[in-house]
Amino acid sequence: MGILNITPDSFFTGHLHKGLDEIIKMAGKMIEDGADILDIGGQSSRPGSKRISVDEELERVIPVIKAIQAKYKDVILSVDTFYSRVAESAINEGACIVNDISAGEIDPLMIETVASLKVPYICMHMKGTPDTMQDNIFYEDLIKEVIDFFIHKTEECRRAGIQDILLDPGFGFGKTIPHNFCLLKKLSVFKMLDKPILVGLSRKSTVTKTLNIHVEDALNGTTVLHTLALQNGADILRVHDVKEANETITLMTAYKNAVS
C-alpha cells in the first residue's frame, strides 16, 4: 500500500505535494514500483496535528481520486479518513477501501456508513486522538488491550454488516517506542483474530528516534522493521517507498518458500 498524503504538514516532507500533476506523477511511480493499493489521505494524523473540517478534507482528496481513477482505472484506491461523509464520497468516486485510524470512534456514523457501502474496512487501534494520543500514554497490558479492542470492534463491524475487516495495530498512535517494538515482536499473536494485518511503520519515529536520524534517512531502518513485520505475520505494508518495500516482500517470500 503506497501512501499519498494530500496534506501540507505530513511528517515526511519527501511526500508533500504541490499540485495535482505532481500527485498523479507520484501515483504512477508507485504503481510502476509495484503498489497494489494507493492510500489517499487529506488529513494529517501525526502526533499533535490539528483536525481539519469535512469540507476541507473533501476538497483535498476527491479531485485526486477522480484524477487517479481517470488515468489508472485498474488501481485499487483506499481513502484514509475518519469522516463518514468523506468515506462515502470517496467510494462513490472510485475508491474501494476505507482506512479509518479511529475505527469509528471519532465519527459514530462511520461503521454503519461503511457497511452500507459494502467495502472493506481497515480498523486501526489508537488510544486518544491525533492531537492528544501521545499525552500520558499508559497500558496495563498492551497486547491484551489491543486484542480486546479488536475483538470488540470486529464484532461491532460484523453486526453492522461489514464483511471484510482488516486490522492495523496502530504503530505510533498512542504508543511509546517500546510499545511499538513490543507490538512488532508480538504481531503474530494478532493472527488469532483471523483477519488480515496491516502495518504502518514507514519512516516513523520508532526508526528515527531509535537511530537518532532524520526522517529522510529512515529508509534502511524502515526496511529492517518491514522485514520483521513480514516475518511476524503482516499481510500489508503501508509505505512511502514502494519499490524498496516490494523488494523486501519478494525476498521474504523467496526465503519462506525455500526448501530445507
Side-chain angles (χ1 to χ4, degrees):
M1 175 185 277
I3 301 168
L4 281 176
N5 284 328
I6 319 304
T7 65
D9 58 347
S10 171
F11 76 91
F12 178 34
T13 56
H15 269 228
L16 294 180
H17 306 294
K18 297 186 173 119
L20 193 56
D21 289 344
E22 185 183 349
I23 295 165
I24 301 308
K25 183 177 178 182
M26 175 67 77
K29 179 70 166 58
M30 286 184 169
I31 293 166
E32 181 183 323
D33 286 343
D36 298 297
I37 306 166
L38 297 182
D39 193 42
I40 300 167
Q43 180 119 221
S44 176
S45 57
R46 62 183 174 79
S49 59
K50 299 304 178 185
R51 193 178 305 181
I52 65 170
S53 69
V54 172
D55 289 337
E56 189 173 355
E57 191 173 323
L58 284 168
E59 288 174 7
R60 290 181 181 181
V61 302
I62 297 303
V64 172
I65 290 171
K66 286 181 176 179
I68 293 175
Q69 272 288 293
K71 186 159 186 179
Y72 305 105
K73 296 188 184 300
D74 295 330
V75 68
I76 299 170
L77 299 182
S78 168
V79 60
D80 180 0
T81 185
F82 46 68
Y83 289 138
S84 60
R85 191 150 67 88
V86 175
E88 185 171 19
S89 297
I91 297 301
N92 289 338
E93 293 297 341
C96 307
I97 301 169
V98 175
N99 181 13
D100 178 7
I101 63 168
S102 82
E105 294 290 301
I106 291 178
D107 184 341
L109 296 177
M110 177 61 95
I111 288 176
E112 64 182 75
T113 298
V114 173
S116 69
L117 294 168
K118 301 187 184 306
V119 295
Y121 185 49
I122 300 171
C123 181
M124 195 191 82
H125 176 273
M126 172 174 60
K127 202 163 190 176
T129 59
D131 55 328
T132 65
M133 62 187 180
Q134 295 305 107
D135 300 337
N136 303 314
I137 303 168
F138 176 77
Y139 295 88
E140 289 281 355
D141 186 326
L142 173 68
I143 302 302
K144 181 180 182 300
E145 288 181 42
V146 177
I147 287 176
D148 286 347
F149 173 84
F150 282 141
I151 290 171
H152 167 75
K153 275 295 168 183
T154 53
E155 178 60 18
E156 182 183 352
C157 290
R158 188 194 64 77
R159 287 198 310 268
I162 299 175
Q163 301 298 316
D164 298 304
I165 304 164
L166 299 85
L167 306 179
D168 179 350
F171 289 94
F173 285 83
K175 285 119 184 151
T176 63
I177 289 173
H179 286 148
N180 294 329
F181 279 113
C182 179
L183 273 178
L184 183 59
K185 194 170 187 177
K186 301 288 188 180
L187 195 65
S188 60
V189 174
F190 293 93
K191 287 297 187 181
M192 72 170 65
L193 300 170
D194 198 28
K195 298 284 186 289
I197 299 170
L198 181 147
V199 163
L201 285 160
S202 183
R203 295 182 180 266
K204 287 186 174 178
S205 61
T206 300
V207 177
T208 59
K209 290 184 178 179
T210 301
L211 298 177
N212 193 28
I213 57 175
H214 294 293
V215 66
E216 289 78 12
D217 302 319
L219 177 56
N220 183 61
T222 294
T223 299
V224 173
L225 297 193
H226 283 165
T227 303
L228 293 170
L230 292 167
Q231 193 167 15
N232 291 339
D235 298 290
I236 300 173
L237 301 178
R238 184 178 182 272
V239 306
H240 297 94
D241 309 282
V242 171
K243 180 176 180 289
E244 291 80 0
N246 211 28
E247 289 176 348
T248 305
I249 291 167
T250 299
L251 289 169
M252 282 299 298
T253 302
Y255 168 75
K256 286 180 179 179
N257 292 340
V259 178
S260 59

Short mmCIF file of all heavy atoms in Angstrom, two decimals, residues 130-185:
data_model
loop_
_atom_site.label_atom_id
_atom_site.label_comp_id
_atom_site.label_asym_id
_atom_site.label_seq_id
_atom_site.Cartn_x
_atom_site.Cartn_y
_atom_site.Cartn_z
N PRO A 130 -5.40 12.10 17.33
CA PRO A 130 -4.06 12.54 16.93
C PRO A 130 -3.50 13.71 17.72
O PRO A 130 -2.29 13.79 17.96
CB PRO A 130 -4.27 12.91 15.45
CG PRO A 130 -5.33 11.97 15.00
CD PRO A 130 -6.27 11.86 16.16
N ASP A 131 -4.37 14.62 18.17
CA ASP A 131 -3.86 15.79 18.90
C ASP A 131 -3.53 15.47 20.37
O ASP A 131 -2.82 16.23 21.03
CB ASP A 131 -4.83 16.96 18.81
CG ASP A 131 -6.24 16.61 19.28
OD1 ASP A 131 -6.64 15.45 19.10
OD2 ASP A 131 -6.93 17.49 19.82
N THR A 132 -4.02 14.33 20.89
CA THR A 132 -3.79 14.00 22.31
C THR A 132 -3.13 12.65 22.54
O THR A 132 -2.76 12.33 23.67
CB THR A 132 -5.13 13.99 23.08
OG1 THR A 132 -5.97 12.91 22.58
CG2 THR A 132 -5.88 15.31 22.94
N MET A 133 -2.98 11.84 21.48
CA MET A 133 -2.65 10.42 21.66
C MET A 133 -1.29 10.17 22.30
O MET A 133 -1.06 9.09 22.87
CB MET A 133 -2.73 9.69 20.32
CG MET A 133 -1.75 10.17 19.28
SD MET A 133 -2.06 9.41 17.68
CE MET A 133 -0.77 10.17 16.68
N GLN A 134 -0.36 11.12 22.22
CA GLN A 134 0.96 10.89 22.81
C GLN A 134 1.09 11.51 24.21
O GLN A 134 2.19 11.56 24.75
CB GLN A 134 2.04 11.43 21.88
CG GLN A 134 2.14 10.69 20.53
CD GLN A 134 2.32 9.19 20.67
OE1 GLN A 134 1.41 8.41 20.42
NE2 GLN A 134 3.50 8.77 21.09
N ASP A 135 -0.04 11.95 24.77
CA ASP A 135 -0.02 12.51 26.13
C ASP A 135 -0.35 11.42 27.14
O ASP A 135 -1.35 10.73 27.02
CB ASP A 135 -1.06 13.64 26.26
CG ASP A 135 -0.79 14.78 25.30
OD1 ASP A 135 0.36 14.93 24.87
OD2 ASP A 135 -1.75 15.53 24.99
N ASN A 136 0.50 11.27 28.16
CA ASN A 136 0.21 10.38 29.29
C ASN A 136 -0.16 8.96 28.84
O ASN A 136 -1.20 8.42 29.22
CB ASN A 136 -0.92 10.96 30.15
CG ASN A 136 -0.59 12.36 30.65
OD1 ASN A 136 0.51 12.61 31.13
ND2 ASN A 136 -1.54 13.27 30.51
N ILE A 137 0.69 8.37 28.01
CA ILE A 137 0.42 7.02 27.49
C ILE A 137 0.60 5.98 28.59
O ILE A 137 1.62 5.96 29.27
CB ILE A 137 1.37 6.69 26.32
CG1 ILE A 137 1.23 7.74 25.22
CG2 ILE A 137 1.10 5.30 25.78
CD1 ILE A 137 2.32 7.65 24.16
N PHE A 138 -0.40 5.12 28.75
CA PHE A 138 -0.30 4.07 29.76
C PHE A 138 -1.15 2.88 29.35
O PHE A 138 -2.29 3.03 28.91
CB PHE A 138 -0.75 4.58 31.13
CG PHE A 138 -0.74 3.51 32.19
CD1 PHE A 138 0.45 3.10 32.77
CD2 PHE A 138 -1.93 2.89 32.58
CE1 PHE A 138 0.46 2.11 33.75
CE2 PHE A 138 -1.91 1.89 33.56
CZ PHE A 138 -0.72 1.51 34.13
N TYR A 139 -0.59 1.68 29.52
CA TYR A 139 -1.32 0.43 29.33
C TYR A 139 -1.00 -0.50 30.50
O TYR A 139 0.16 -0.61 30.90
CB TYR A 139 -0.90 -0.28 28.03
CG TYR A 139 -1.23 0.45 26.76
CD1 TYR A 139 -0.33 1.38 26.22
CD2 TYR A 139 -2.41 0.20 26.07
CE1 TYR A 139 -0.62 2.04 25.04
CE2 TYR A 139 -2.71 0.86 24.89
CZ TYR A 139 -1.81 1.78 24.38
OH TYR A 139 -2.11 2.44 23.22
N GLU A 140 -2.02 -1.17 31.01
CA GLU A 140 -1.79 -2.24 31.98
C GLU A 140 -1.14 -3.43 31.28
O GLU A 140 -0.19 -4.03 31.79
CB GLU A 140 -3.12 -2.69 32.61
CG GLU A 140 -3.74 -1.69 33.56
CD GLU A 140 -3.09 -1.69 34.93
OE1 GLU A 140 -2.22 -2.54 35.18
OE2 GLU A 140 -3.45 -0.82 35.75
N ASP A 141 -1.67 -3.77 30.09
CA ASP A 141 -1.16 -4.88 29.29
C ASP A 141 -1.43 -4.54 27.83
O ASP A 141 -2.55 -4.69 27.34
CB ASP A 141 -1.87 -6.18 29.68
CG ASP A 141 -1.29 -7.40 28.98
OD1 ASP A 141 -0.86 -7.28 27.81
OD2 ASP A 141 -1.29 -8.48 29.59
N LEU A 142 -0.41 -4.03 27.15
CA LEU A 142 -0.57 -3.50 25.79
C LEU A 142 -1.22 -4.50 24.85
O LEU A 142 -2.23 -4.20 24.21
CB LEU A 142 0.80 -3.09 25.24
CG LEU A 142 0.82 -2.68 23.76
CD1 LEU A 142 0.07 -1.39 23.53
CD2 LEU A 142 2.26 -2.56 23.26
N ILE A 143 -0.65 -5.70 24.73
CA ILE A 143 -1.13 -6.66 23.75
C ILE A 143 -2.56 -7.09 24.06
O ILE A 143 -3.42 -7.13 23.16
CB ILE A 143 -0.21 -7.90 23.67
CG1 ILE A 143 1.23 -7.47 23.34
CG2 ILE A 143 -0.73 -8.89 22.64
CD1 ILE A 143 1.38 -6.69 22.05
N LYS A 144 -2.84 -7.35 25.32
CA LYS A 144 -4.20 -7.74 25.71
C LYS A 144 -5.20 -6.64 25.40
O LYS A 144 -6.30 -6.90 24.89
CB LYS A 144 -4.25 -8.10 27.19
CG LYS A 144 -5.64 -8.54 27.67
CD LYS A 144 -5.62 -8.89 29.14
CE LYS A 144 -6.99 -9.39 29.60
NZ LYS A 144 -8.06 -8.40 29.41
N GLU A 145 -4.84 -5.39 25.69
CA GLU A 145 -5.76 -4.28 25.46
C GLU A 145 -6.04 -4.07 23.98
O GLU A 145 -7.18 -3.80 23.59
CB GLU A 145 -5.22 -3.00 26.10
CG GLU A 145 -5.29 -3.00 27.61
CD GLU A 145 -4.79 -1.73 28.25
OE1 GLU A 145 -5.11 -0.64 27.73
OE2 GLU A 145 -4.07 -1.81 29.27
N VAL A 146 -5.02 -4.20 23.15
CA VAL A 146 -5.23 -4.03 21.71
C VAL A 146 -6.06 -5.19 21.15
O VAL A 146 -6.97 -4.98 20.35
CB VAL A 146 -3.87 -3.90 20.96
CG1 VAL A 146 -4.11 -3.79 19.46
CG2 VAL A 146 -3.11 -2.68 21.46
N ILE A 147 -5.78 -6.41 21.59
CA ILE A 147 -6.57 -7.56 21.14
C ILE A 147 -8.03 -7.42 21.59
O ILE A 147 -8.96 -7.64 20.80
CB ILE A 147 -5.96 -8.88 21.64
CG1 ILE A 147 -4.69 -9.19 20.86
CG2 ILE A 147 -6.96 -10.03 21.49
CD1 ILE A 147 -3.94 -10.41 21.33
N ASP A 148 -8.25 -7.02 22.84
CA ASP A 148 -9.61 -6.84 23.34
C ASP A 148 -10.34 -5.77 22.52
O ASP A 148 -11.53 -5.91 22.21
CB ASP A 148 -9.60 -6.44 24.82
CG ASP A 148 -9.27 -7.61 25.74
OD1 ASP A 148 -9.29 -8.77 25.27
OD2 ASP A 148 -8.99 -7.36 26.93
N PHE A 149 -9.64 -4.70 22.18
CA PHE A 149 -10.22 -3.64 21.35
C PHE A 149 -10.67 -4.21 20.01
O PHE A 149 -11.78 -3.93 19.53
CB PHE A 149 -9.19 -2.53 21.14
CG PHE A 149 -9.60 -1.46 20.17
CD1 PHE A 149 -10.39 -0.39 20.58
CD2 PHE A 149 -9.20 -1.52 18.84
CE1 PHE A 149 -10.78 0.59 19.67
CE2 PHE A 149 -9.57 -0.54 17.93
CZ PHE A 149 -10.36 0.51 18.35
N PHE A 150 -9.80 -5.01 19.38
CA PHE A 150 -10.14 -5.58 18.08
C PHE A 150 -11.28 -6.59 18.16
O PHE A 150 -12.10 -6.67 17.25
CB PHE A 150 -8.91 -6.21 17.43
CG PHE A 150 -7.95 -5.23 16.82
CD1 PHE A 150 -6.58 -5.42 16.91
CD2 PHE A 150 -8.42 -4.13 16.13
CE1 PHE A 150 -5.69 -4.52 16.34
CE2 PHE A 150 -7.54 -3.21 15.55
CZ PHE A 150 -6.18 -3.42 15.66
N ILE A 151 -11.33 -7.36 19.22
CA ILE A 151 -12.44 -8.31 19.39
C ILE A 151 -13.76 -7.54 19.44
O ILE A 151 -14.74 -7.89 18.78
CB ILE A 151 -12.24 -9.16 20.66
CG1 ILE A 151 -11.08 -10.14 20.47
CG2 ILE A 151 -13.53 -9.91 21.01
CD1 ILE A 151 -10.67 -10.88 21.73
N HIS A 152 -13.78 -6.47 20.22
CA HIS A 152 -14.99 -5.64 20.33
C HIS A 152 -15.33 -4.99 19.00
O HIS A 152 -16.50 -5.00 18.56
CB HIS A 152 -14.78 -4.57 21.41
CG HIS A 152 -15.81 -3.48 21.40
ND1 HIS A 152 -17.09 -3.66 21.87
CD2 HIS A 152 -15.74 -2.21 20.94
CE1 HIS A 152 -17.78 -2.53 21.72
NE2 HIS A 152 -16.98 -1.64 21.16
N LYS A 153 -14.32 -4.41 18.35
CA LYS A 153 -14.57 -3.67 17.11
C LYS A 153 -15.00 -4.58 15.96
O LYS A 153 -15.87 -4.23 15.16
CB LYS A 153 -13.32 -2.88 16.70
CG LYS A 153 -13.21 -1.53 17.38
CD LYS A 153 -14.34 -0.61 16.93
CE LYS A 153 -14.42 0.61 17.80
NZ LYS A 153 -15.56 1.48 17.42
N THR A 154 -14.35 -5.73 15.83
CA THR A 154 -14.73 -6.62 14.73
C THR A 154 -16.15 -7.13 14.92
O THR A 154 -16.89 -7.30 13.94
CB THR A 154 -13.76 -7.81 14.61
OG1 THR A 154 -13.63 -8.47 15.87
CG2 THR A 154 -12.38 -7.35 14.14
N GLU A 155 -16.56 -7.35 16.16
CA GLU A 155 -17.94 -7.77 16.41
C GLU A 155 -18.91 -6.63 16.08
O GLU A 155 -19.98 -6.85 15.50
CB GLU A 155 -18.10 -8.21 17.86
CG GLU A 155 -19.51 -8.61 18.24
CD GLU A 155 -20.07 -9.78 17.43
OE1 GLU A 155 -19.28 -10.51 16.80
OE2 GLU A 155 -21.30 -9.94 17.42
N GLU A 156 -18.54 -5.40 16.44
CA GLU A 156 -19.37 -4.24 16.11
C GLU A 156 -19.50 -4.10 14.59
O GLU A 156 -20.60 -3.85 14.07
CB GLU A 156 -18.75 -2.97 16.71
CG GLU A 156 -19.56 -1.71 16.47
CD GLU A 156 -18.87 -0.46 17.02
OE1 GLU A 156 -17.84 -0.59 17.72
OE2 GLU A 156 -19.37 0.64 16.74
N CYS A 157 -18.39 -4.27 13.89
CA CYS A 157 -18.42 -4.19 12.42
C CYS A 157 -19.26 -5.31 11.82
O CYS A 157 -20.04 -5.08 10.89
CB CYS A 157 -17.00 -4.25 11.87
SG CYS A 157 -16.00 -2.79 12.21
N ARG A 158 -19.10 -6.51 12.36
CA ARG A 158 -19.85 -7.65 11.84
C ARG A 158 -21.35 -7.45 12.02
O ARG A 158 -22.14 -7.71 11.11
CB ARG A 158 -19.40 -8.93 12.55
CG ARG A 158 -19.98 -10.21 11.97
CD ARG A 158 -19.79 -11.39 12.90
NE ARG A 158 -20.51 -11.23 14.15
CZ ARG A 158 -21.82 -11.42 14.29
NH1 ARG A 158 -22.57 -11.76 13.24
NH2 ARG A 158 -22.40 -11.24 15.47
N ARG A 159 -21.74 -6.97 13.21
CA ARG A 159 -23.17 -6.74 13.46
C ARG A 159 -23.73 -5.66 12.54
O ARG A 159 -24.89 -5.71 12.13
CB ARG A 159 -23.39 -6.32 14.92
CG ARG A 159 -23.24 -7.45 15.93
CD ARG A 159 -23.89 -7.08 17.26
NE ARG A 159 -23.48 -5.77 17.73
CZ ARG A 159 -22.46 -5.54 18.55
NH1 ARG A 159 -21.73 -6.58 18.99
NH2 ARG A 159 -22.15 -4.33 18.96
N ALA A 160 -22.90 -4.68 12.20
CA ALA A 160 -23.35 -3.61 11.31
C ALA A 160 -23.49 -4.09 9.87
O ALA A 160 -24.23 -3.49 9.08
CB ALA A 160 -22.38 -2.43 11.38
N GLY A 161 -22.75 -5.16 9.52
CA GLY A 161 -22.84 -5.70 8.18
C GLY A 161 -21.59 -5.58 7.35
O GLY A 161 -21.61 -5.83 6.14
N ILE A 162 -20.47 -5.20 7.97
CA ILE A 162 -19.20 -5.12 7.24
C ILE A 162 -18.64 -6.53 7.08
O ILE A 162 -18.43 -7.24 8.06
CB ILE A 162 -18.18 -4.21 7.96
CG1 ILE A 162 -18.74 -2.79 8.08
CG2 ILE A 162 -16.85 -4.20 7.22
CD1 ILE A 162 -17.87 -1.84 8.88
N GLN A 163 -18.39 -6.92 5.85
CA GLN A 163 -17.95 -8.30 5.55
C GLN A 163 -16.44 -8.47 5.62
O GLN A 163 -15.94 -9.50 6.04
CB GLN A 163 -18.45 -8.70 4.16
CG GLN A 163 -19.96 -8.66 3.99
CD GLN A 163 -20.67 -9.63 4.91
OE1 GLN A 163 -20.27 -10.77 5.08
NE2 GLN A 163 -21.74 -9.16 5.54
N ASP A 164 -15.71 -7.46 5.17
CA ASP A 164 -14.24 -7.57 5.07
C ASP A 164 -13.59 -6.55 6.00
O ASP A 164 -13.67 -5.34 5.78
CB ASP A 164 -13.79 -7.32 3.63
CG ASP A 164 -14.35 -8.35 2.67
OD1 ASP A 164 -14.13 -9.54 2.90
OD2 ASP A 164 -15.01 -7.95 1.70
N ILE A 165 -12.93 -7.06 7.02
CA ILE A 165 -12.30 -6.22 8.04
C ILE A 165 -10.81 -6.52 8.07
O ILE A 165 -10.40 -7.68 8.11
CB ILE A 165 -12.91 -6.49 9.43
CG1 ILE A 165 -14.43 -6.30 9.41
CG2 ILE A 165 -12.26 -5.60 10.49
CD1 ILE A 165 -15.13 -6.92 10.59
N LEU A 166 -10.00 -5.47 8.05
CA LEU A 166 -8.55 -5.59 8.18
C LEU A 166 -8.14 -4.87 9.45
O LEU A 166 -8.77 -3.87 9.84
CB LEU A 166 -7.83 -4.98 6.98
CG LEU A 166 -8.12 -5.59 5.60
CD1 LEU A 166 -9.37 -4.97 4.98
CD2 LEU A 166 -6.94 -5.37 4.66
N LEU A 167 -7.10 -5.35 10.10
CA LEU A 167 -6.68 -4.81 11.39
C LEU A 167 -5.31 -4.14 11.29
O LEU A 167 -4.38 -4.69 10.70
CB LEU A 167 -6.62 -5.92 12.44
CG LEU A 167 -7.89 -6.76 12.61
CD1 LEU A 167 -7.67 -7.83 13.67
CD2 LEU A 167 -9.09 -5.88 12.96
N ASP A 168 -5.21 -2.95 11.88
CA ASP A 168 -3.96 -2.20 11.95
C ASP A 168 -3.68 -1.92 13.42
O ASP A 168 -4.44 -1.19 14.06
CB ASP A 168 -4.11 -0.90 11.16
CG ASP A 168 -2.86 -0.03 11.19
OD1 ASP A 168 -1.94 -0.32 11.97
OD2 ASP A 168 -2.83 0.97 10.44
N PRO A 169 -2.60 -2.49 13.99
CA PRO A 169 -2.32 -2.29 15.42
C PRO A 169 -2.03 -0.84 15.80
O PRO A 169 -2.02 -0.50 16.98
CB PRO A 169 -1.09 -3.17 15.68
CG PRO A 169 -1.08 -4.15 14.56
CD PRO A 169 -1.66 -3.44 13.38
N GLY A 170 -1.77 0.02 14.82
CA GLY A 170 -1.60 1.44 15.10
C GLY A 170 -0.26 1.81 15.69
O GLY A 170 -0.17 2.46 16.74
N PHE A 171 0.81 1.41 15.02
CA PHE A 171 2.15 1.78 15.47
C PHE A 171 2.28 3.30 15.55
O PHE A 171 2.02 4.00 14.59
CB PHE A 171 3.21 1.22 14.52
CG PHE A 171 3.35 -0.28 14.60
CD1 PHE A 171 2.64 -1.09 13.72
CD2 PHE A 171 4.19 -0.86 15.53
CE1 PHE A 171 2.76 -2.48 13.79
CE2 PHE A 171 4.31 -2.24 15.60
CZ PHE A 171 3.60 -3.04 14.73
N GLY A 172 2.67 3.80 16.73
CA GLY A 172 2.87 5.23 16.90
C GLY A 172 1.62 6.01 17.27
O GLY A 172 1.69 7.21 17.52
N PHE A 173 0.48 5.34 17.33
CA PHE A 173 -0.77 6.02 17.65
C PHE A 173 -1.15 5.72 19.10
O PHE A 173 -1.78 4.72 19.40
CB PHE A 173 -1.88 5.57 16.69
CG PHE A 173 -1.77 6.14 15.31
CD1 PHE A 173 -0.92 5.56 14.37
CD2 PHE A 173 -2.50 7.26 14.95
CE1 PHE A 173 -0.81 6.08 13.10
CE2 PHE A 173 -2.38 7.79 13.67
CZ PHE A 173 -1.54 7.21 12.74
N GLY A 174 -0.73 6.61 20.00
CA GLY A 174 -0.98 6.38 21.41
C GLY A 174 -0.10 5.29 21.97
O GLY A 174 -0.51 4.52 22.84
N LYS A 175 1.13 5.20 21.45
CA LYS A 175 2.09 4.21 21.92
C LYS A 175 3.49 4.84 22.01
O LYS A 175 3.83 5.68 21.18
CB LYS A 175 2.17 2.99 20.98
CG LYS A 175 0.98 2.05 21.09
CD LYS A 175 0.27 1.99 19.78
CE LYS A 175 -0.98 1.12 19.87
NZ LYS A 175 -1.99 1.58 18.92
N THR A 176 4.25 4.39 22.97
CA THR A 176 5.65 4.80 23.05
C THR A 176 6.48 3.94 22.09
O THR A 176 5.99 2.95 21.54
CB THR A 176 6.18 4.60 24.48
OG1 THR A 176 6.14 3.19 24.79
CG2 THR A 176 5.34 5.37 25.49
N ILE A 177 7.74 4.30 21.94
CA ILE A 177 8.62 3.49 21.08
C ILE A 177 8.77 2.07 21.64
O ILE A 177 8.67 1.10 20.87
CB ILE A 177 9.98 4.19 20.88
CG1 ILE A 177 9.76 5.42 19.97
CG2 ILE A 177 11.00 3.24 20.25
CD1 ILE A 177 10.96 6.31 19.82
N PRO A 178 8.96 1.88 22.95
CA PRO A 178 8.97 0.50 23.46
C PRO A 178 7.66 -0.24 23.19
O PRO A 178 7.68 -1.44 22.90
CB PRO A 178 9.21 0.68 24.97
CG PRO A 178 9.97 1.96 25.06
CD PRO A 178 9.40 2.84 23.99
N HIS A 179 6.54 0.45 23.27
CA HIS A 179 5.26 -0.17 22.92
C HIS A 179 5.27 -0.64 21.47
O HIS A 179 4.79 -1.75 21.15
CB HIS A 179 4.11 0.82 23.10
CG HIS A 179 3.74 1.09 24.52
ND1 HIS A 179 3.26 2.32 24.94
CD2 HIS A 179 3.79 0.31 25.63
CE1 HIS A 179 3.00 2.26 26.24
NE2 HIS A 179 3.32 1.06 26.68
N ASN A 180 5.80 0.19 20.57
CA ASN A 180 5.83 -0.17 19.15
C ASN A 180 6.67 -1.41 18.90
O ASN A 180 6.28 -2.29 18.13
CB ASN A 180 6.36 1.00 18.31
CG ASN A 180 5.44 2.20 18.33
OD1 ASN A 180 4.23 2.06 18.45
ND2 ASN A 180 6.01 3.39 18.22
N PHE A 181 7.81 -1.51 19.58
CA PHE A 181 8.65 -2.70 19.42
C PHE A 181 7.98 -3.93 20.01
O PHE A 181 8.10 -5.03 19.48
CB PHE A 181 10.04 -2.48 20.04
CG PHE A 181 10.98 -1.72 19.14
CD1 PHE A 181 11.41 -0.45 19.48
CD2 PHE A 181 11.42 -2.27 17.95
CE1 PHE A 181 12.27 0.26 18.65
CE2 PHE A 181 12.27 -1.57 17.11
CZ PHE A 181 12.70 -0.30 17.47
N CYS A 182 7.26 -3.74 21.10
CA CYS A 182 6.51 -4.86 21.70
C CYS A 182 5.43 -5.34 20.73
O CYS A 182 5.26 -6.56 20.52
CB CYS A 182 5.89 -4.42 23.02
SG CYS A 182 4.92 -5.71 23.83
N LEU A 183 4.69 -4.41 20.13
CA LEU A 183 3.67 -4.78 19.15
C LEU A 183 4.29 -5.55 17.99
O LEU A 183 3.73 -6.55 17.53
CB LEU A 183 2.99 -3.52 18.59
CG LEU A 183 1.79 -2.94 19.32
CD1 LEU A 183 1.33 -1.68 18.61
CD2 LEU A 183 0.65 -3.94 19.42
N LEU A 184 5.43 -5.07 17.50
CA LEU A 184 6.09 -5.72 16.38
C LEU A 184 6.55 -7.13 16.76
O LEU A 184 6.37 -8.08 15.99
CB LEU A 184 7.29 -4.87 15.94
CG LEU A 184 8.07 -5.35 14.72
CD1 LEU A 184 7.18 -5.44 13.49
CD2 LEU A 184 9.25 -4.40 14.45
N LYS A 185 7.10 -7.26 17.94
CA LYS A 185 7.60 -8.56 18.40
C LYS A 185 6.47 -9.56 18.59
O LYS A 185 6.62 -10.77 18.34
CB LYS A 185 8.37 -8.38 19.71
CG LYS A 185 9.22 -9.56 20.12
CD LYS A 185 10.11 -9.19 21.29
CE LYS A 185 11.10 -10.32 21.59
NZ LYS A 185 12.03 -9.93 22.68
#
